[in-house]
Amino acid sequence: MNHPAAAAALAALQTRIDQEVQVSDWLPIMQERVDAFAEATGDHQWIHVDAERARRESPFGGPIAHGYLTLSLLVMLRDLVDPAKQVPGVRQVINYGLDKVRFPAPVPVGARIRARFVLLTVSELKPGVLQATERCTIEIEGGAKPACIADSVFLLQF
């Protein structure tokens, strides 16, 4: 490894494998966010955007957030906007994809969610670039099952 900051980060991160590396704050999921997501994606299914019909006809008793809306909040919940505060020396974090995603429980509109992140793997992809995989579990406040479990892969560029 030719990059000192990347080498130091790799060594430090390897000591945190299988450990929780972050827990987000609680985030309320309001109808306005669900409606904006529906508008952005074209997914206007009534179970998400028609609150009255969802209260009458949905098995969930009201509108629920899109699963992909919940997934899309992963970066914000992980707080990767300022990567250097997560891993010293990192210039940029790149979303590299997902290995596995499941949506065990719906998120009712009005519920609060938070995410827990556990580091699964980290390795050198090339000099100055590390690849890391984290398991993200998005919880619903008071819920018995998580809303989403996703293995997120990202690149740390030094």
Side-chain angles (χ1 to χ4, degrees), residues 9-31:
L10 178 61
L13 288 170
Q14 285 176 331
T15 68
R16 302 206 59 202
I17 299 289
D18 295 327
Q19 293 181 18
E20 190 169 83
V21 293
Q22 184 167 337
V23 178
S24 75
D25 291 333
W26 288 104
L27 175 70
I29 302 301
M30 305 310 291
Q31 189 65 53

Side-chain angles (χ1 to χ4, degrees), residues 38-154:
E39 193 60 35
T41 62
D43 182 351
H44 296 279
Q45 189 178 133
W46 64 267
I47 202 164
H48 305 300
V49 298
D50 188 336
E52 287 305 313
R53 184 175 177 191
R55 279 191 268 287
R56 283 191 323 267
E57 299 178 30
S58 164
F60 308 112
I64 59 170
H66 305 73
Y68 284 117
L69 166 58
T70 304
L71 180 64
S72 75
L73 296 170
L74 185 148
V75 170
M76 181 180 70
L77 293 168
R78 181 61 174 92
D79 194 19
L80 292 177
V81 177
D82 184 3
K85 76 179 181 183
Q86 301 295 329
V87 179
V90 171
R91 289 185 301 109
Q92 188 171 21
V93 177
I94 303 292
N95 177 3
Y96 199 56
L98 300 162
D99 282 342
K100 183 178 179 182
V101 178
R102 296 290 182 266
F103 302 106
V107 176
V109 169
R112 294 189 334 153
I113 62 170
R114 74 173 171 193
R116 295 181 175 277
F117 299 87
V118 173
L119 182 62
L120 299 179
T121 66
V122 63
S123 60
E124 182 183 35
L125 186 63
K126 60 184 180 182
V129 180
L130 303 181
Q131 180 176 314
T133 302
E134 291 181 346
R135 165 103 10 101
C136 171
T137 303
I138 299 178
E139 305 170 327
I140 305 166
E141 189 173 37
K145 292 182 182 179
C148 179
I149 303 168
D151 291 352
S152 176
V153 183
F154 53 92

